[in-house]
Amino acid sequence: AFLPLAGQLQQQQKQLAAPPSSTAARLSEGSRDSRRPEVLRHASATGEAAAATGSAADDDDDTGIGSKLGVDPPNALAWVLFGVSVVYLVHFASLYTQLPGLFGAAGLLPLAGREPESFDGSWFLRVFSTPEAGVELTAVLGMLLAAAQLVLPDLRRGIGGGLAYAALWACWHDLVVAGGRFTAYQMDTLLLDAAPLCVLAASGSLAGAALFGFRWLLARLYLGGGAVKLLSCDASWRDLSALHWHFQSQPLPNPIGSAAHLWLPDAVGQFSTLMALVVEIATPFLFLAPSPQVRTVAFAAQAFLQAGIALAGNFGPFNLLTVVLGFCLLEDADLMPAPGYRAPVAGPPLLASAELQAVATGAAVFFAGLAALWTVHNTNCQSDETWGAAALVYASLLLCPVALVGCARSWPEVFAGVLVVAGSAWPFAAGLGVPLPVPSSLLKPFSLGASSYGLFAVMTGVGGRPTMLLEAATDPSGPWVTIPFKYQVMETTRMPPFCFPHFPRMDWSYWFVPLGGQDSELQGWLLQLLKGIVSKEPAVLDLLDSQRFQELFPDDSPSFLRLSPSTYTAVLPGSGAAASEGGLPPSWWQRAAADLRTDSAWANLGPLGMLSEPLVFSREALLQSAGDAGQTAWPGVPGLRTAADGQGEGFIWSVLLLAELARRTLEVEEEEEVAEAEPTWALPVPSGRPSGDECEVQDGYQPAVSSGAKAFRKPPDAIWSLEVPDDWITVTAPLTIEGASAADAFDVYAKLSNHTKWSGWLRKVTEGDDGSSEWSIKVLTFVFSWTASVIKRSRPNVIAWESTSGIPNTGAATFWDLADTGCGDPPRCAMEFQVSFQSPRLIRGLFASNKVTTFVRNVLNRDLRRFSSVVLEGLENLEIVPVALPRLLVDSPQLDRVGACRAVLLDDGSLDFEVQGFGTDRSTKAMLNDIAAGMQQLAPGVRCKSIVDMRRGIGCSPLAVPAMLRFLRENGSNIACTAVLGPVPLIALARLIAKAAKQKGVEFFSEIEEAQAWRMQFRLQPEEE
């Protein structure tokens, strides 16, 4: 299914070469004699192939800018990688604060004493002397490496980035293996699923496969999580009351969730439940659509859903990771440049045909519509069985080939994408109970840890929140005091806390205790928790609210612990039973002992075994069951372990803040180095170079005061001052380009349509014939446009503009050389970018802040660095070949009362013909006669490649048609091809003329650049010759 579809599109894999300069530009290269041989730059075949495949030119020196750009991921993937690094740092830091309490010798799941076979799945934990040391150092290594990735962009791209993400993958994998049930949740497996894709994305050469892999991962996550809710036939999902109960009974609620449970109207809650199901089940098909607009809508829908989930509950970094992965749905231009981002060189995707993209997008939207209808149907269904799981699985798999070739840019990427689907299809289908025709044993070797997903398939706590109440006392007759948990609902007077982005694993696991089958847990981690409480083990108490625990038991530990099933109900603060008792804090929950036979909150839960009735444990019995513990201290990293123990989200935010401060400091230092180096423009004199008067002093080149160096200052022609009102905002950014002259940089910048190559915000730039231009930027789904006009263009020093509509703005880019090329120096130039614009008073006040001004300047500097890369990349893909400038054979302007026409013919066969106003018979005949005479001067074998520009013609009078037909019939053998530009009516007339003259090699265009590119690349087929 993959290879034939991609094979039909193979011819679209090559990019069009850059359009050549127009005839007028070629004739205006200088005032030299046109017959004199001159040196011109022409794109080499190697350079064109490199541009098509996203790699640098194939030369001996692979350290140039082009080779570096070739391994950079695109901007959307760069944001995914940056976000995943943040999530890695949060996960490692969060788990690090809990390691001693979870896995220490006195912890809930001790590593010491485990059977060696329990570590068989780890990759390198066995190399450490003890498993505790291995887990500690692995978590520290993961934190340091993830923080380094945030600070150093080179660790997120290229070979170094691939190795860094592979190391993070290995660290997290081994921690998940060692963590057992405490690291077996879907947020942990989701990060493991994304890990190999990050390695592909960072390497750059397989970025297309990684882009598809992330979209497919999101589709599996959402479709699996949504479909299981309806396939389970759970009543609360079918009657759309699930979210109402979810806000109260979720594992770790917060005040917003409790408020939503109490105050959200039933109709709003039911509509929210339906929308959540539609987003989870229907939008995954839109994730795989080729259309950027469709994917943008899908991204907005899933981001809105994740924001709502994160606001109403504590799910650690799960929601953050899901939104970060969703960046793969957007286009590069939809996002501001990622930190440290460099624009990559990449060819077009294999699926570049607009018609095929439209068909594939239509199929994705069609499947999404059917999935939405299936969702609505099953929410009203009263059947005990739900059909349609197989249809959902196979429909999503059917879209994978199109989604893959829409992302891939080479055949290795297609092959890698096929492996991604092969390895993940069987767990995805198995999670929904759908058998695949291919045995899972054949697909499992390619899985790389791929998992199935299905969150909250059956809503727990319909009618109340089931909780296993944990209490302590010094006497079996009481009074009993509730053990204070940090994040789990236990004390009725404690407000549900916020803990983002921390993920407290003991509190989360404790929520599963009432779900049944916990007799084995009493012999495992739950028993260890009780032992740690009665022995006041510091590592275990750090998992609880240790400060509150010490207040309740300041002298000695409790003598008795009691576990009893209870049902909690959220109430308004101050309305609970405690409110009627003076001096007590307001209650957030009401608690009642649960009757497992009649309590609806405990219905459909698994058998509790020993915990079905209140169970009391004495301290002596618990400590006797511990036996000879042989406890040893946790081998923590000095200083870091002290700072982390029991701190939770405080430690995580501190680590994130330090990483961000380090990143900002490094950026500021780089900017300061540039700012300090550029004002003097000092250039050391190479050894063996003539100095002083031995070199010809060019414009803008003056000796410096210090010996051994020369300083280049702005020549007068490169000075441009912006005269704007005082209340306008002005930002200036400098740039130095090593290896390019001012003329090289000016030519790239003056082509306004090039600006989208280095600006992350620009969506499109359109140039007009009169010097005007239309600009538009796109931020997510919002597009802003304005027009501008060039007010100064002086090659190679200045190009300045001002807006003619939209937000008032003006600016200039100035260029000047920094190298004395006459003395053998390599080219080097400076650029200064200035922009000034009017803004509302509020925004003006914000820009007065140094921080905001620095941010804007950094954005401009990043754009200019990418501009430098574009300039140098163009020079790298050029080779110097001697060619002769074309000689002018015919320049025939004709003018009459109703219009004008002109033809220019060069001795290389380039023929440019333009009509303005009405074309008449007299003027057409005179011009065509001049062209026919000029054709006689062409060298043997040279045939004309013409461009006929009728865009400013107002009718092209039929009086001129007979002369044109006669000319084409008589001279058609001398014309190889003709590109016609013009509006629809004139193009229709041109088609008739070409058909009547039986002329081949005719094509029709609306843009001059397209016509020039087609003329340059035109080749006649042998049968046409």
Side-chain angles (χ1 to χ4, degrees):
F2 289 87
L3 301 181
L5 176 59
Q8 296 173 7
L9 306 171
Q10 185 176 10
Q11 68 274 15
Q12 299 177 14
Q13 193 173 358
K14 299 293 184 182
Q15 281 184 307
L16 289 176
S21 56
S22 64
T23 301
R26 296 169 67 192
L27 290 173
S28 62
E29 284 288 333
S31 57
R32 308 181 184 90
D33 183 356
S34 60
R35 294 185 179 90
R36 176 185 174 187
E38 193 62 22
V39 175
L40 298 178
R41 290 187 174 101
H42 287 268
S44 65
T46 303
E48 291 175 4
T53 60
S55 60
D58 184 17
D59 51 32
D60 294 335
D61 183 10
D62 59 356
T63 60
I65 295 294
S67 63
K68 292 179 181 178
L69 291 176
V71 297
D72 280 5
N75 189 37
L77 276 184
W79 270 114
V80 172
L81 293 175
F82 183 83
V84 170
S85 297
V86 173
V87 173
Y88 265 126
L89 181 56
V90 170
H91 264 303
F92 282 118
S94 176
L95 183 58
Y96 184 76
T97 64
Q98 307 171 70
L99 287 180
L102 293 178
F103 309 122
L108 308 187
L109 201 62
L111 296 175
R114 286 197 201 176
E115 296 295 331
E117 292 76 13
S118 62
F119 298 103
D120 283 347
S122 66
W123 292 344
F124 60 85
L125 274 182
R126 289 188 172 187
V127 303
F128 295 96
S129 57
T130 63
E132 292 91 342
V135 168
E136 171 80 8
L137 295 178
T138 299
V140 172
L141 176 62
M143 275 195 298
L144 294 178
L145 189 53
Q149 283 187 318
L150 300 183
V151 177
L152 303 173
D154 287 338
L155 290 179
R156 302 195 305 269
R157 61 191 175 209
I159 300 300
L163 293 176
Y165 281 107
L168 288 174
W169 179 16
C171 290
W172 186 243
H173 172 271
D174 278 15
L175 289 178
V176 169
V177 171
R181 67 160 294 114
F182 290 110
T183 53
Y185 301 110
Q186 293 203 8
M187 65 182 66
D188 303 317
T189 56
L190 178 61
L191 188 56
L192 281 179
D193 240 344
L197 300 176
C198 290
V199 178
L200 296 180
S203 63
S205 57
L206 297 175
L211 186 64
F212 162 75
F214 282 124
R215 293 175 183 174
W216 173 235
L217 173 58
L218 276 178
R220 292 190 288 118
L221 172 66
Y222 276 89
L223 189 56
V228 295
K229 294 177 174 62
L230 296 180
L231 294 173
S232 67
C233 300
D234 182 65
S236 62
W237 286 112
R238 288 193 168 185
D239 63 18
L240 303 179
S241 64
L243 280 187
H244 171 73
W245 300 113
H246 168 78
F247 291 135
Q248 174 181 260
S249 63
Q250 59 185 312
L252 300 176
N254 63 24
I256 297 178
S258 297
H261 171 75
L262 294 171
W263 294 331
L264 203 64
D266 290 343
V268 176
Q270 291 174 353
F271 178 77
S272 300
T273 304
L274 178 61
M275 288 299 99
L277 289 171
V278 170
V279 169
E280 288 188 334
I281 297 175
T283 55
F285 297 99
L286 304 183
F287 296 165
L288 304 175
S291 169
Q293 293 79 9
V294 172
R295 293 198 312 272
T296 300
V297 173
F299 169 79
Q302 68 94 21
F304 184 79
L305 174 63
Q306 292 302 324
I309 296 173
L311 283 174
N314 293 306
F315 292 89
F318 174 75
N319 310 108
L320 174 62
L321 177 58
T322 306
V323 173
V324 162
L325 296 178
F327 289 148
C328 69
L329 303 175
L330 302 176
E331 296 294 291
D332 289 354
D334 294 337
L335 299 164
M336 64 181 296
Y341 169 69
R342 300 181 306 197
V345 180
L350 296 177
L351 183 61
S353 169
E355 293 79 7
L356 288 177
Q357 287 185 356
V359 172
T361 300
V365 173
F366 176 72
F367 287 145
L370 291 181
L373 292 176
W374 180 84
T375 302
V376 175
H377 167 76
N378 282 286
T379 55
N380 297 315
C381 181
Q382 302 300 321
S383 172
D384 293 334
E385 185 176 349
T386 303
W387 56 270
L392 295 175
V393 170
Y394 286 110
S396 59
L397 290 174
L398 187 62
L399 290 176
C400 282
V402 180
L404 175 56
V405 296
C407 298
R409 288 170 167 80
S410 64
W411 291 110
E413 290 185 344
V414 173
F415 180 72
V418 171
L419 294 183
V420 168
V421 176
S424 58
W426 72 268
F428 168 55
L432 297 179
V434 177
L436 291 178
V438 180
S440 61
S441 58
L442 296 179
L443 302 177
K444 194 171 183 178
F446 306 107
S447 67
L448 294 179
S451 177
S452 60
Y453 298 96
L455 298 172
F456 300 107
V458 176
M459 183 53 57
T460 303
V462 176
R465 177 185 180 86
T467 303
M468 193 60 63
L469 175 62
L470 179 56
E471 298 172 296
T474 57
D475 188 271
S477 60
W480 292 95
V481 179
T482 304
I483 295 295
F485 281 61
K486 270 187 181 179
Y487 308 102
Q488 187 55 257
V489 175
M490 198 63 63
E491 295 178 290
T492 58
T493 57
R494 180 184 175 90
M495 182 184 75
F498 293 97
C499 63
F500 178 83
H502 181 46
F503 183 54
R505 297 179 179 272
M506 189 277 292
D507 296 78
W508 186 277
S509 299
Y510 195 86
W511 180 80
F512 290 88
V513 173
L515 300 189
Q518 299 300 324
D519 282 357
S520 60
E521 301 293 353
L522 279 175
Q523 305 303 320
W525 75 269
L526 191 55
L527 183 62
Q528 288 294 114
L529 173 63
L530 301 181
K531 293 176 183 178
I533 292 175
V534 297
S535 61
K536 299 186 77 170
E537 176 62 38
V540 174
L541 294 184
D542 281 341
L543 300 177
L544 304 171
D545 188 347
S546 58
Q547 182 177 356
R548 173 71 173 150
F549 185 88
Q550 293 296 341
E551 293 175 357
L552 294 175
F553 303 97
D555 300 323
D556 197 4
S557 60
S559 301
F560 298 91
L561 296 178
R562 182 173 67 180
L563 285 169
S564 53
S566 301
T567 301
Y568 283 68
T569 305
V571 296
L572 294 175
S575 63
S580 60
E581 302 178 15
L584 293 179
S587 294
W588 288 80
W589 301 91
Q590 282 184 347
R591 182 174 64 206
D595 185 347
L596 304 188
R597 295 169 297 178
T598 60
D599 197 331
S600 61
W602 292 79
N604 300 323
L605 299 183
L608 289 176
M610 296 170 58
L611 292 177
S612 57
E613 298 291 340
L615 194 60
V616 178
F617 302 84
S618 67
R619 179 169 54 187
E620 291 75 11
L622 289 172
L623 294 180
Q624 286 177 1
S625 65
D628 185 12
Q631 297 178 4
T632 57
W634 181 265
V637 176
L640 186 62
R641 170 53 59 195
T642 303
D645 283 344
Q647 297 303 310
E649 60 270 25
F651 177 76
I652 299 171
W653 285 115
S654 299
V655 171
L656 289 173
L657 180 60
L658 288 174
E660 179 63 12
L661 288 176
R663 188 182 71 84
R664 293 292 182 93
T665 301
L666 188 63
E667 282 188 352
V668 170
E669 288 178 354
E670 291 177 352
E671 299 300 335
E672 288 177 351
E673 289 176 1
V674 173
E676 291 174 359
E678 290 183 347
T680 59
W681 311 111
L683 184 68
V685 178
S687 60
R689 154 193 174 146
S691 59
D693 296 335
E694 300 178 24
C695 282
E696 177 184 358
V697 178
Q698 302 178 358
D699 291 341
Y701 176 83
Q702 301 176 10
V705 176
S706 59
S707 60
K710 293 190 175 181
F712 290 80
R713 299 179 177 88
K714 277 189 179 183
D717 291 342
I719 296 177
W720 183 265
S721 300
L722 299 180
E723 298 180 359
V724 296
D726 295 337
D727 59 346
W728 281 34
I729 298 169
T730 301
V731 181
T732 303
L735 175 69
T736 300
I737 306 178
E738 303 282 353
S741 66
D744 295 329
F746 180 92
D747 291 341
V748 174
Y749 192 91
K751 187 66 175 178
L752 301 183
S753 58
N754 285 338
H755 286 225
T756 55
K757 296 180 180 179
W758 58 78
S759 176
W761 292 102
L762 281 176
R763 178 172 177 263
K764 185 179 181 182
V765 180
T766 304
E767 298 182 68
D769 296 332
D770 56 354
S772 64
S773 55
E774 296 182 4
W775 303 69
S776 65
I777 61 175
K778 183 179 181 182
V779 182
L780 293 179
T781 57
F782 301 99
V783 178
F784 306 92
S785 302
W786 71 93
T787 60
S789 177
V790 175
I791 58 176
K792 172 75 172 180
R793 187 192 297 263
S794 176
R795 186 179 187 271
N797 294 121
V798 177
I799 179 169
W801 74 91
E802 65 180 5
S803 64
T804 55
S805 68
I807 298 178
N809 69 89
T810 184
T814 55
F815 308 84
W816 64 98
D817 285 311
L818 299 178
D820 188 0
T821 54
C823 293
D825 284 346
R828 184 172 184 256
C829 71
M831 173 188 179
E832 187 175 69
F833 179 83
Q834 307 174 69
V835 62
S836 185
F837 53 92
Q838 189 180 28
S839 66
R841 184 180 303 273
L842 176 61
I843 298 179
R844 195 181 314 135
L846 291 175
F847 272 83
S849 168
N850 290 332
K851 292 183 179 180
V852 178
T853 303
T854 301
F855 170 75
V856 175
R857 188 176 291 109
N858 287 342
V859 172
L860 290 178
N861 283 328
R862 281 197 292 268
D863 285 350
L864 292 182
R865 285 194 290 269
R866 287 196 295 271
F867 166 73
S868 173
S869 301
V870 171
V871 173
L872 295 176
E873 174 209 337
L875 297 179
E876 281 189 349
N877 290 337
L878 299 176
E879 62 180 9
I880 307 302
V881 293
V883 298
L885 281 174
R887 182 166 58 93
L888 180 65
L889 296 181
V890 174
D891 185 359
S892 177
Q894 303 293 333
L895 180 67
D896 55 32
R897 295 182 178 180
V898 295
C901 57
R902 182 176 184 176
V904 177
L905 176 64
L906 306 182
D907 64 355
D908 65 353
S910 299
L911 173 61
D912 282 29
F913 169 39
E914 182 179 5
V915 175
Q916 298 182 18
F918 290 92
T920 62
D921 179 65
R922 184 186 64 81
S923 61
T924 303
K925 281 183 178 180
M927 180 186 63
L928 294 177
N929 289 335
D930 290 342
I931 296 175
M935 286 182 175
Q936 304 302 318
Q937 304 179 47
L938 292 175
V942 176
R943 303 176 66 186
C944 290
K945 294 184 177 182
S946 59
I947 293 180
V948 180
D949 189 350
M950 301 190 299
R951 291 178 297 175
R952 288 188 280 184
I954 314 176
C956 290
S957 170
L959 296 175
V961 173
M964 182 69 72
L965 284 172
R966 184 171 59 254
F967 172 80
L968 291 176
R969 287 196 179 105
E970 294 175 356
N971 300 278
S973 59
N974 294 325
I975 301 176
C977 65
T978 303
V980 183
L981 292 97
V984 174
L986 298 189
I987 284 187
L989 177 62
R991 288 181 187 273
L992 294 176
I993 295 175
K995 185 176 181 179
K998 298 181 179 180
Q999 185 184 5
K1000 296 182 179 180
V1002 181
E1003 194 58 68
F1004 304 90
F1005 302 93
S1006 58
E1007 299 291 340
I1008 183 64
E1009 292 84 359
E1010 298 174 353
Q1012 291 170 342
W1014 177 81
R1015 174 170 68 175
M1016 185 188 76
Q1017 293 190 330
F1018 181 82
R1019 297 288 186 275
L1020 282 177
Q1021 300 298 323
E1023 60 271 16
E1024 293 177 332
E1025 286 282 4

